[in-house]
Amino acid sequence: MAATLRAPRARLCTTLDERRLGRYRGASCVRAAWSSNMMGRFTLAHTLEGHDGCVNTVAFDRTGSRLVSGSDDRTLLLWDLDVEPRVRTLVATGHRNNVFCAQFLGETTIASCAADGDVRLHEIGHDGGVATRLLARHRGRAHKLALVDGSQVVLSSGEDGRVFVCDPRCAAPSEFAHLGFSLNVVAARPLHDHHFCVAGDSETVPLFDLRRPGLDSFADLSSPLVARGMHATSAAWTHDGAFVAGNFSACGVVEMAAPRDGPWSGASDDDGRIFEGHVNVRTVKMVAYCGPRSEFVLSGSDCGHLFAWERSSGAVVNMIRADDNIVNSIAVHPAGVPLVAVSGIDSTVKILSPLLPAAVDVQAVRARAPGIATDQLFRFAAALFDPIRLLQMLEQAHAHGLDLDGIDSGSDSGSGGVDDD
């Protein structure tokens, strides 16, 4: 039996809007799903096959009901997660080299960039046909895209050191900045629609203001934790835009505080914090925050594992084998569902989700919460995982006073379950 990944769109959109406006504090079920205990139970749930080459990018749409992946085979695959995970659309991108990044601009609109330097827009029709056109062209490989919050404006960065602002409604892009070093990432700042950062062949993470085109960055974030000569392969923001994490090669993931606005340069009074243990030498690896309050930090590694750190302590809470070689790309479900998509050198996309512990007193649970289908709650395997159903059951459990997160996880949570009565 295959997994069902249903996502009630209205509810998820409300959650996303509340989070974007800084009002969302996370329901009890979401907090439980992203606790340290549960994060430690994340494991491989699905392997999505369809590409013929390394998968360099994965991204959810706004509701989390669809996923897009891009590959060395120069195609995009649009995965439908409302039912059994399946390829809904194959997009022949028109790129002449490996696809490095893809982002949803809307339900049927996707932007991509690639090793050929092109930034392209793909519009999928009701009949499944795809109209593709060029948005911008970098002089060298274009690694990453970022969507300006609340719009369809796309930022692109490339090895030519340029940042383009691409508005699909305009005939041509505008060059916002030209830095003196190669760029690996551009990342829009949450809750600050006009701010973004870039990272690449530099020990700092420059922060820019879209209201000041052509001007220097108003902040160059740095930390003494970053060794001299290191460069960043990626950067990511916390949910509230207060901190940015840089994934520095041969160094670690370093988190730095960001100013709210105005001119500012150098390290803050807080030297930041570092998350260590993974290896980031061979490829361009992403970093990501997850949890309703960015409680965890994620990064791929040269060893083929996804590393998960508890942000408050810096401790590694999980290492998940997710690629036969290297894990590069990470996508966290946008509405708090405990679901992470990753990809790397393999030609597949991996979906990760938590397994609940096997050692549970089923009779005690049923006595206290007769409405919960405990055989589904505690016996499901990763291959039968339904994240929306998990959140609903966690919510019911909390309503009945059950602390599912506090259950002893000393037993093997990687397989097996509770016998049916």
Side-chain angles (χ1 to χ4, degrees), residues 138-139 156 158-164 174-183 196 198 208 213-217:
H138 287 268
R139 298 173 184 173
S156 68
E159 292 183 359
D160 58 0
R162 288 177 166 84
V163 176
F164 285 119
S174 62
E175 182 180 306
F176 182 87
H178 187 183
L179 285 75
F181 56 89
S182 175
L183 298 178
F196 69 91
V198 296
F208 290 90
L215 300 180
D216 293 337
S217 58

Side-chain angles (χ1 to χ4, degrees), residues 6-57:
R6 295 180 295 274
R9 296 192 177 188
R11 176 180 174 184
L12 296 186
C13 287
T14 299
T15 297
L16 288 166
D17 288 338
E18 289 177 345
R19 177 167 173 169
R20 184 175 69 86
L21 295 172
R23 300 174 186 156
Y24 180 62
R25 295 295 180 268
S28 60
C29 60
V30 175
R31 291 197 299 271
W34 287 107
S35 67
S36 296
N37 208 356
M38 289 290 269
M39 192 71 222
R41 300 188 187 115
F42 265 68
T43 189
L44 177 63
H46 303 281
T47 298
L48 308 184
E49 300 179 349
H51 282 292
D52 185 21
C54 301
V55 181
N56 305 311
T57 180

Side-chain angles (χ1 to χ4, degrees), residues 161-373:
R162 288 177 166 84
V163 176
F164 285 119
V165 179
C166 307
D167 188 333
R169 299 166 297 182
C170 299
S174 62
E175 182 180 306
F176 182 87
H178 187 183
L179 285 75
F181 56 89
S182 175
L183 298 178
N184 290 322
V185 69
V186 56
R189 187 178 189 180
L191 305 183
H192 299 73
D193 295 349
H194 46 276
H195 287 176
F196 69 91
C197 72
V198 296
D201 289 348
S202 173
E203 301 163 11
T204 66
V205 177
L207 182 59
F208 290 90
D209 190 328
L210 283 169
R211 299 168 298 184
R212 304 168 64 199
L215 300 180
D216 293 337
S217 58
F218 73 82
D220 287 303
L221 308 183
S222 63
S223 168
L225 298 173
V226 179
R228 182 175 294 277
M230 296 297 100
H231 70 275
T233 62
S234 187
W237 292 96
T238 54
H239 69 287
D240 55 2
F243 296 87
V244 64
N247 201 350
F248 289 90
S249 65
C251 178
V253 174
V254 177
E255 181 183 88
M256 297 166 280
R260 293 181 58 87
D261 214 334
W264 188 80
S265 181
S268 65
D269 294 335
D270 182 0
D271 289 341
R273 66 185 85 183
I274 190 168
F275 306 93
E276 299 176 294
H278 72 308
V279 180
N280 181 15
V281 176
R282 296 171 56 192
T283 56
V284 177
K285 295 176 187 66
M286 289 185 61
V287 61
Y289 286 97
C290 63
R293 300 178 187 175
S294 305
E295 292 92 342
F296 301 96
V297 179
L298 305 178
S299 173
S301 175
D302 287 348
C303 63
H305 288 76
L306 178 75
F307 277 66
W309 293 271
E310 184 180 52
R311 186 175 163 221
S312 60
S313 67
V316 175
V317 293
N318 205 344
M319 292 187 302
I320 308 157
R321 184 74 180 187
D323 196 276
D324 287 339
N325 294 280
I326 301 172
V327 175
N328 289 322
S329 186
I330 306 168
V332 179
H333 196 283
V337 174
L339 204 68
V340 176
V342 299
S343 66
I345 303 301
D346 291 351
S347 61
T348 56
V349 176
K350 309 299 197 306
I351 304 294
L352 311 177
S353 59
L355 280 175
L356 292 180
V360 176
D361 187 342
V362 177
Q363 296 300 329
V365 171
R366 283 180 173 161
R368 293 180 62 184
I372 298 179

Side-chain angles (χ1 to χ4, degrees), residues 40-82:
R41 300 188 187 115
F42 265 68
T43 189
L44 177 63
H46 303 281
T47 298
L48 308 184
E49 300 179 349
H51 282 292
D52 185 21
C54 301
V55 181
N56 305 311
T57 180
V58 286
F60 287 102
D61 72 354
R62 186 171 181 267
T63 66
S65 61
R66 291 174 184 165
L67 183 80
V68 64
S69 57
S71 168
D72 284 359
D73 62 14
R74 297 174 290 177
T75 69
L76 300 178
L77 293 182
L78 180 60
W79 304 87
D80 192 342
L81 303 181
D82 282 338

Side-chain angles (χ1 to χ4, degrees), residues 74 93-98 114-118 120 134 137-138:
R74 297 174 290 177
T93 61
H95 285 297
R96 295 158 290 142
N97 210 326
N98 305 345
D116 59 8
D118 289 355
R120 302 188 69 87
L134 183 69
R137 176 164 291 168
H138 287 268

